[in-house]
Amino acid sequence: VTAHFCRKILEGVGIRSDRLALDWASAAEAPLYVALITNFTKHIKELGPLGKADGLSGEELSSRLSVARSAVKSVKLRTRFARLTQALREANDYSPQLIESKMAENFDQAILREMEKQEKLLSEAGVGVQHIGESIDDNKA
Amino acid sequence: LVEAGRSPNINIITMAELVSVAGEARDFTAKVRRLPRYVDENLCTACGTCADYCPSPIRDDYNEGLSFIRAIHIDYQQAIPPAFYVDREACLFLSRQECKQCERVCLAKAIDFKQAPQEIHISVGAIVLAPGFGRIAGRVLAKYGYETCSDVITGIEFERLTSASGPTMGDIIRPSDHQHPKSIAFLQCIGSRDLASGNGYCSSVCCMYAIKEALVAKEHAPDTSIAIFYMDMRTQGKEFDDARLRAKEKGIRFVRSRFGGIRKTDGALEIKYVSEEGQHFKESFDMVVLPEGLESPESAASLARVAGIELNHYDFCKTNIFSPLETSHQGILVAGAFQSPKDVPESVIDASGAAALVSEALSQVRNTRVETKIYPDEIEIDETPRIGVFVCSCGSNIGGVVDVPAVARYAATLKDVVFIDTNLYSCAQNTQELITEKIRANGLNRVVVAACTPRTHEPLFQETLKNAGLNRALFEMANIRDHCSWVHSHLPKESTEKAKDQVRMAVAKARLLRSFPEQSLPVCPRALVVGGGISGMTAALSIAKQGFECFLVERSSQLGGNLRNICFVLNGDDPEALLEKTTKEAMSNDLIHIYTDASVEGVSGYVGNFTTTIRTKEGIEAVDHGVIVVATGGEAYKPTQYLYGTSKQVITQLELEKMLADPDRAQQINDIVMIQCVGSRGQDLSYCSKVCCGQAVKNALRILEHTPLANIVILYRDMRTYGFMEDYYSLSREKGVTFIHFNREMPPVVAEESGKLSVEFFDTLLGETVVLDPQYLVLSVGIVPAGARGLAKILKTPLTKDGFFLEAHPKLRPVEFSVDGIFLCGLAHSPKPIPESIVQAKAAAGKACIPLTKGSVAVEPIVSAVDQEACIGCGICEKLCPYAAVRIVKAGKKRKAETIPASCKGCGICAAHCPTMAIYMGRFSTEQIMAQITACGKKGLQ
């Protein structure tokens, strides 16, 4: 669910969702872990640097990322996200199919709406500056 | 292992053997001979340089001799004590007075060839014997081609082959040509259930471990064709049958057969076997695995002599069936496979049970000889970080690859770093003291150690901080060994750069670390036991004997539970006497308060501070207590199949047992058919009820005592008379009981016509359908949990799909729940015979008394905390917490979440799901993690 949530948000700001990988490997699965890391590294190298490869300027990229970050912090979305986790736990079924269908049911649309809202907020100059400021602060910290 | 190694009250004496025991219970003197290690445990840091230089290779016992190590070695990375040792025979110096390379290269000066054998006298109150199991003799394995065919390997060797840390790093290859086997055969009952080998008993664990290994092999290479040749599949443990079904689904073949011989053919191994129908077959495999049974330990005879204990006829420790952990020598206890062949969960249960018995015996002198550490008072710290960075060389382990001085110089340039130092071995005792001094002298208030892994060493350095008067939460580690020098050993320059990155990240996080108040919460020194059967009574008695008050709640009008229905047991002991003795003891113990006709209405609180409402006929009472033991038990499955309830001739085993207890009625019984697995294993219940096979054999033998020529036919799926119970199974066969196997798909058919009962079934050996008309048809019905669902809801503890209580970990924590302070035993956990229930009850009581004995619950500095301002009281955290460690409380008019620090494990599920991000994780806050990530991307910047 977490991965799905993040991927949707990345897509929303125009970043390829395959730049995020989430997988499981136990301590006894060293070869699997190596394969996961090697493949992901190879894949990201092929894609090229974040932003540049997709034709985004540094400024554009950082504003988009701050939209994404705000969206992840949104109480509305986080509530839906948590409710969804709870539903999966109650059903005791974590199959990708169920996650997909549950997400489509009442989550995907909400993500899109939230992203629009955040973008709008950002485009209103004052707020935008504040957000960019925030992200710079974060980087400095 | 790490916990045992770290406890100040466990003195681990390795390379030692017990020489003699003098004195009596509560006052023994044990003489122990300790062989020289030739390495000083206190100085050795397990860096491994000595082994790099040691010229003498030996076979690696830990890997079953499948690989080579050096004469100076450590069994495996995590071994306790973490120190190398010298193999006496292989060492060139000890055998030929030459070499001593290790002594020259050891920078820690830990090698000491002057060490000599020592004799130590230890005065103790009780002794626990846990020597484990021995190995099946080579001559037995030889029958299966082990010595002549290199591709015939034991199950334990196969286990090492599948292990990622094994000799092939988890690659399953044939010893002969190093190719992956395309087909593997597992032959069961190697050195078990085999009178020719001298072992008439069943080793209990081999069926299950063969299935596990087969599943692992399938995971490695799904195309491998695997067959398991067996007599009876004995997967009687909790949820073991599920594993067997999974294996079947994965295409693993289960072949009920008798082994006939093995021979090497061209590049393969040919097995001869006789099928159930009596036909002969030959089949070829690339590899043959012998999942060998468990033999009595090699040291059994000498141990018995030294400790003055008796052995049984298979050289395992002799114990009474109703006190399975006590040897014939009072005060000397036994745990694990030396008691009888058993698996990990049962061994762990034994161990906790033995600890409870020790605690019972020594409760008078508790805390008289324990060591507690005293730390200096904590220093108030300034908000401005003053960070000290210590970079470790780990001998040459890190320093050989990473440029340690360069990393330290780099650390000095980082913001807020006021002190740097490098150490040869940061973890060495004297270095620890130096670090303590340096923290004090330089007024450090945050400490970063760049060394090995926090998994093993964080607690050690946190201890160092405490010794310097710093809060242990003010510590951060950068693992520049595992992540740099080990994985990039061929890239020194890059490793050094990466180490710098890691130090920068650790410093970024350290800057934001805050003190975490050391909390410890008081514990109410009383226990609640729910269920008054043999498990509940045993647990209550053990808790009382350990010196604590106990409330025992029983739903019916009298104590005893299912034991009240048992009239006799296999070995002839008297269960009625056990019932009477235990009940009497429980009723007469002043520390036990018994509530009959009572139920638990509600439970609130957490470990150390529970309040429970008990409803009885007299009314309602609320009691305060620190821990809970769940022993709600089970009950007989009520059959509807096979005309039970319709025909008077159809009865259950318990009903037969009642009849047999009456000598007059017993003599009239002479013609019986029994059907096994009624309700169990895929009928109404998916699981095996574990006790019914033994019960059927018990009743059959009892009938034959009265009427030696009685006709008894037992229709079964797999006879699961595991362990020493197998003796009685063999005996019943000798005495003329007929055992006929049936498949789940073809159960017997029971009919009644004009008052006459008939049982029709297919006899595979004859290849014919047989019809019998017995005097009685006896159904071996399974066990179902009793009252689990209601209590589980009240306690917020999970259940298995079959409705039994789900323990915290099936193997490692078999009597605990994931929720702290609640423990589990008896049939409420899973079906099991009386001795296993007794041991588990002891184990639960032993575990339950840990917080009671300590008197307080310590809180780790990683627990979550809720920002009450930001919390909106949505309750998501409360619902998602796997440990019931978050609760919603009323704060004025609003609802707010609150962490129960005593129960919190710091997993972070609550924080990750909090809609308003109001939950702060100790030492892993969002700001701290973000600071680390940001620092990662800021090379050379500050």
Side-chain angles (χ1 to χ4, degrees):
Chain A
V1 186
T2 312
H4 201 114
F5 182 22
C6 294
R7 287 208 181 93
K8 277 277 165 213
I9 299 233
L10 288 177
E11 275 169 24
V13 292
I15 291 172
R16 294 176 60 121
S17 64
D18 54 355
R19 283 187 181 274
L20 172 74
L22 181 67
D23 267 295
W24 271 262
S26 87
E29 296 173 316
L32 173 66
Y33 178 73
V34 170
L36 289 172
I37 299 293
T38 313
N39 293 339
F40 188 61
T41 313
K42 195 172 142 229
H43 182 62
I44 293 297
K45 277 194 178 147
E46 279 166 11
L47 288 181
L50 185 61
K52 246 184 244 169
D54 307 310
L56 295 175
S57 69
E59 205 174 299
E60 177 69 14
L61 178 70
S62 106
S63 85
R64 286 190 181 202
L65 282 177
S66 78
V67 168
R69 196 179 306 177
S70 312
V72 175
K73 285 183 184 165
S74 139
V75 175
K76 231 187 226 164
L77 285 191
R78 291 182 62 85
T79 308
R80 284 189 190 241
F81 163 63
R83 296 268 179 240
L84 187 56
T85 313
Q86 214 174 305
L88 291 175
R89 173 166 308 187
E90 272 157 25
N92 198 15
D93 177 358
Y94 297 89
S95 62
Q97 295 87 333
L98 185 73
I99 293 177
E100 193 79 39
S101 75
K102 288 255 177 199
M103 294 283 295
E105 220 171 85
N106 54 12
F107 200 15
D108 288 355
Q109 280 304 314
I111 293 177
L112 291 181
R113 276 199 305 275
E114 183 65 31
M115 303 291 291
E116 270 167 33
K117 189 178 118 194
Q118 293 294 343
E119 253 168 81
K120 223 163 130 197
L121 278 176
L122 188 67
S123 65
E124 286 162 22
V127 186
V129 168
Q130 186 202 331
H131 270 275
I132 293 166
E134 239 179 47
S135 76
I136 291 170
D137 279 345
D138 280 346
N139 287 343
K140 266 188 191 163
Chain B
L1 197 61
V2 177
E3 209 180 322
R6 205 176 286 137
S7 168
N9 291 307
I10 301 179
N11 182 6
I12 299 176
I13 307 168
T14 51
M15 306 186 72
E17 61 174 338
L18 187 63
V19 185
S20 74
V21 175
E24 55 181 32
R26 292 171 216 233
D27 187 20
F28 287 117
T29 303
K31 196 154 81 177
V32 170
R33 193 192 351 262
R34 185 174 205 187
L35 297 173
R37 184 179 199 100
Y38 302 111
V39 174
D40 187 328
E41 270 175 52
N42 299 320
L43 295 178
C44 176
T45 59
C47 72
T49 308
C50 53
D52 290 344
Y53 285 88
C54 176
S56 176
I58 53 168
R59 281 193 180 269
D60 180 0
D61 277 348
Y62 180 70
N63 275 327
E64 292 292 296
L66 296 169
S67 58
F68 289 92
I69 42 164
R70 300 294 160 158
I72 186 162
H73 64 283
I74 189 165
D75 287 343
Y76 52 96
Q77 278 298 330
Q78 299 82 8
I80 299 285
F84 278 54
Y85 67 99
V86 179
D87 183 292
R88 228 190 127 76
E89 268 108 64
C91 172
L92 296 180
F93 175 71
L94 292 169
S95 59
R96 281 188 263 159
Q97 300 292 312
E98 43 194 51
C99 187
K100 276 201 177 184
Q101 278 287 0
C102 48
E103 199 178 70
R104 281 188 284 277
V105 299
C106 179
L107 297 170
K109 303 269 170 262
I111 314 282
D112 179 8
F113 281 110
K114 287 192 217 70
Q115 283 185 1
Q118 269 179 299
E119 262 189 12
I120 314 168
H121 297 259
I122 309 167
S123 88
V124 290
I127 297 174
V128 180
L129 304 176
F133 60 88
R135 301 296 282 271
I136 298 296
R139 66 176 168 82
V140 177
L141 300 179
K143 274 199 294 197
Y144 304 92
Y146 180 68
E147 269 151 27
T148 44
C149 316
S150 54
D151 294 336
V152 177
I153 62 172
T154 68
I156 303 180
E157 287 169 343
F158 190 78
E159 178 97 24
R160 292 315 301 154
L161 283 183
T162 59
S163 168
S165 60
T168 58
M169 290 167 74
D171 207 9
I172 301 173
I173 50 169
R174 302 209 298 180
S176 65
D177 57 4
H178 292 200
Q179 296 299 305
H180 296 268
K182 296 205 166 45
S183 56
I184 306 174
F186 287 81
L187 307 181
Q188 297 307 113
C189 299
I190 306 296
S192 302
R193 304 182 68 189
D194 174 14
L195 291 173
S197 75
N199 291 349
Y201 61 86
C202 159
S203 290
S204 306
V205 304
C206 332
C207 284
M208 193 56 198
Y209 94 74
I211 290 177
K212 180 198 76 179
E213 290 182 349
L215 277 168
V216 171
K218 269 278 183 198
E219 250 170 52
H220 281 244
D223 301 335
T224 318
S225 124
I226 298 177
I228 300 181
F229 296 90
Y230 72 102
M231 296 198 278
D232 292 286
M233 235 331 119
R234 293 192 169 166
T235 45
Q236 62 274 352
K238 187 175 185 178
E239 303 198 342
F240 285 9
D241 263 333
D242 295 343
R244 179 194 181 171
L245 291 177
R246 252 194 335 270
K248 240 181 179 167
E249 274 166 26
K250 293 248 152 106
I252 292 165
R253 276 165 58 215
F254 287 84
V255 187
R256 182 185 289 274
S257 58
R258 275 286 192 176
F259 171 76
I262 187 167
R263 77 186 177 95
K264 213 168 10 182
T265 57
D266 199 17
L269 297 159
E270 187 186 81
I271 290 175
K272 276 196 290 186
Y273 64 91
V274 186
S275 75
E276 214 184 333
E277 294 79 16
Q279 283 169 293
H280 292 255
F281 290 94
K282 283 180 188 168
E283 196 174 339
S284 285
F285 293 90
D286 287 348
M287 187 188 235
V288 171
V289 181
L290 311 176
E292 54 176 319
L294 311 188
E295 182 63 86
S296 66
E298 236 174 87
S299 59
S302 64
L303 199 55
R305 201 181 53 247
V306 167
I309 58 160
E310 287 173 42
L311 299 178
N312 73 7
H313 58 292
Y314 292 123
D315 277 354
F316 283 83
C317 184
K318 187 173 178 180
T319 57
N320 184 301
I321 155 163
F322 297 138
S323 49
L325 300 174
E326 293 162 53
T327 68
S328 55
H329 191 157
Q330 207 198 345
I332 301 188
L333 308 166
V334 60
F338 182 37
Q339 195 268 338
S340 69
K342 63 188 63 172
D343 59 6
V344 174
E346 282 182 37
S347 301
V348 172
I349 293 170
D350 274 10
S352 300
L357 279 162
V358 172
S359 174
E360 284 173 27
L362 304 182
S363 65
Q364 302 289 331
V365 291
R366 180 177 295 140
N367 289 338
T368 50
R369 276 167 55 182
V370 299
E371 273 181 39
T372 38
K373 284 213 70 174
I374 296 166
Y375 300 97
D377 286 341
E378 254 178 45
I379 302 165
E380 283 278 321
I381 62 154
D382 208 323
E383 272 309 299
T384 335
R386 289 179 59 79
I387 304 175
V389 180
F390 296 86
V391 189
C392 184
S393 294
C394 194
S396 62
N397 223 330
I398 295 171
V401 179
V402 173
D403 184 347
V404 168
V407 173
R409 280 197 303 277
Y410 171 75
T413 66
L414 297 170
K415 194 177 153 200
D416 295 331
V417 173
V418 296
F419 180 80
I420 53 141
D421 200 0
T422 59
N423 299 316
L424 186 57
Y425 291 111
S426 301
C427 56
Q429 189 69 42
N430 52 351
T431 317
Q432 295 271 303
E433 281 154 26
L434 280 176
I435 295 176
T436 311
E437 276 168 37
K438 283 168 186 166
I439 291 173
R440 285 224 184 92
N442 295 285
L444 304 179
N445 59 20
R446 309 282 191 288
V447 175
V448 171
V449 172
C452 55
T453 166
R455 193 167 49 82
T456 54
H457 281 67
E458 188 175 75
L460 181 80
F461 290 117
Q462 286 184 325
E463 183 110 350
T464 315
L465 259 67
K466 279 165 86 172
N467 284 329
L470 275 186
N471 185 279
R472 63 185 163 137
L474 300 168
F475 174 72
E476 181 62 20
M477 247 180 130
N479 185 348
I480 61 167
R481 184 191 66 181
D482 301 20
H483 296 172
C484 301
S485 66
W486 276 5
V487 288
H488 311 297
S489 56
H490 53 299
L491 300 167
K493 207 172 137 242
E494 286 82 351
S495 284
T496 305
E497 286 310 306
K498 189 172 169 188
K500 288 181 186 171
D501 290 346
Q502 283 181 262
V503 169
R504 185 174 62 243
M505 289 168 71
V507 168
K509 182 176 166 189
R511 213 176 281 137
L512 299 173
L513 290 175
R514 336 179 190 161
S515 276
F516 188 92
E518 293 288 340
Q519 293 181 55
S520 100
L521 303 162
V523 169
C524 171
R526 287 195 288 261
L528 171 77
V529 177
V530 190
I534 185 64
S535 299
M537 286 193 293
T538 306
L541 273 168
S542 176
I543 291 167
K545 283 181 193 162
Q546 292 181 63
F548 300 100
E549 223 175 309
C550 186
F551 305 101
L552 178 59
V553 178
E554 164 59 35
R555 63 178 170 156
S556 75
S557 59
Q558 51 184 322
L559 297 177
N562 290 302
L563 187 58
R564 289 205 314 256
N565 302 322
I566 312 283
C567 309
F568 42 88
V569 292
L570 262 173
N571 77 336
D573 279 358
D574 184 0
E576 283 161 355
L578 170 75
L579 174 67
E580 199 190 314
K581 181 174 156 267
T582 317
T583 317
K584 220 181 200 166
E585 266 186 56
M587 305 221 316
S588 61
N589 192 310
D590 292 340
L591 289 174
I592 302 179
H593 310 289
I594 298 170
Y595 297 79
T596 46
D597 282 319
S599 61
V600 169
E601 288 283 295
V603 176
S604 66
Y606 49 89
V607 57
N609 290 285
F610 288 109
T611 302
T612 295
T613 324
I614 302 170
R615 179 185 289 278
T616 61
K617 279 185 175 157
E618 285 84 53
I620 278 185
E621 189 180 332
V623 295
D624 292 334
H625 52 98
V627 291
I628 303 173
V629 176
V630 175
T632 45
E635 55 201 11
Y637 164 79
K638 303 223 165 33
T640 50
Q641 55 273 61
Y642 299 128
L643 296 184
Y644 183 81
T646 314
S647 166
K648 276 196 180 137
Q649 282 170 274
V650 182
I651 58 176
T652 64
Q653 290 286 3
L654 280 178
E655 287 160 352
L656 173 65
E657 190 165 332
K658 277 254 144 63
M659 287 163 76
L660 290 170
D662 174 355
D664 292 340
R665 289 177 81 186
Q667 265 155 19
Q668 289 160 19
I669 297 172
N670 54 32
D671 191 6
I672 292 280
V673 172
M674 297 182 183
I675 301 177
Q676 299 303 107
C677 302
V678 176
S680 304
R681 296 188 61 195
Q683 290 203 349
D684 288 355
L685 320 170
S686 68
Y687 52 88
C688 164
S689 293
K690 206 174 183 183
V691 303
C692 339
C693 284
Q695 201 180 18
V697 168
K698 171 182 87 175
N699 285 344
L701 285 170
R702 190 78 176 190
I703 294 170
L704 293 174
E705 264 172 41
H706 290 287
T707 318
L709 293 173
N711 269 327
I712 303 172
V713 176
I714 299 182
L715 305 173
Y716 72 99
R717 304 235 331 254
D718 289 284
M719 276 315 282
R720 293 183 166 172
T721 44
Y722 56 97
F724 302 130
M725 240 194 297
E726 180 73 7
D727 281 350
Y728 297 99
Y729 176 41
S730 307
L731 182 68
S732 64
R733 275 181 174 271
E734 263 167 47
K735 287 198 166 178
V737 178
T738 311
F739 289 85
I740 295 169
H741 171 250
F742 71 91
N743 277 319
R744 189 185 154 192
E745 296 73 35
M746 263 174 92
V749 180
V750 180
E752 191 180 35
E753 223 170 282
S754 53
K756 203 168 164 221
L757 188 73
S758 72
V759 184
E760 182 186 316
F761 57 90
F762 185 77
D763 185 330
T764 33
L765 200 59
L766 291 176
E768 279 174 20
T769 301
V770 178
V771 184
L772 294 177
D773 48 350
Q775 181 187 16
Y776 287 109
L777 172 66
V778 185
L779 307 182
S780 295
V781 295
I783 291 173
V784 292
R789 220 158 275 282
L791 188 62
K793 215 168 201 172
I794 292 173
L795 295 175
K796 292 183 196 154
T797 48
L799 295 174
T800 67
K801 65 175 182 7
D802 303 320
F804 291 96
F805 281 95
L806 177 65
E807 61 276 31
H809 189 286
K811 307 237 177 291
L812 306 177
R813 297 175 63 200
V815 298
E816 293 160 79
F817 281 105
S818 53
V819 181
D820 276 350
I822 311 183
F823 306 87
L824 171 64
C825 62
L827 299 185
H829 164 271
S830 69
K832 58 176 68 70
I834 300 169
E836 287 171 37
S837 288
I838 291 175
V839 174
Q840 205 179 15
K842 289 272 183 204
K847 284 276 178 193
C849 285
I850 294 175
L852 302 185
T853 309
K854 279 190 181 158
S856 64
V857 185
V859 177
E860 284 299 308
I862 50 166
V863 301
S864 68
V866 182
D867 176 354
Q868 299 282 332
E869 292 277 301
C871 174
I872 50 170
C874 66
I876 286 170
C877 45
E878 188 191 30
K879 290 217 177 66
L880 288 179
C881 177
Y883 308 105
V886 192
R887 62 178 168 188
I888 297 289
V889 289
K890 274 211 174 116
K893 277 185 184 162
K894 287 180 184 151
R895 281 155 37 89
K896 296 283 178 191
E898 179 184 276
T899 306
I900 302 166
S903 303
C904 178
K905 302 269 183 247
C907 73
I909 288 176
C910 55
H913 289 91
C914 175
T916 56
M917 299 170 88
I919 300 181
Y920 166 90
M921 296 308 300
R923 287 187 65 211
F924 294 94
S925 71
T926 311
E927 305 86 69
Q928 290 165 3
I929 294 172
M930 285 309 290
Q932 255 183 316
I933 296 174
T934 311
C936 175
K938 299 275 161 173
K939 216 177 196 80
L941 288 179
Q942 261 318 288

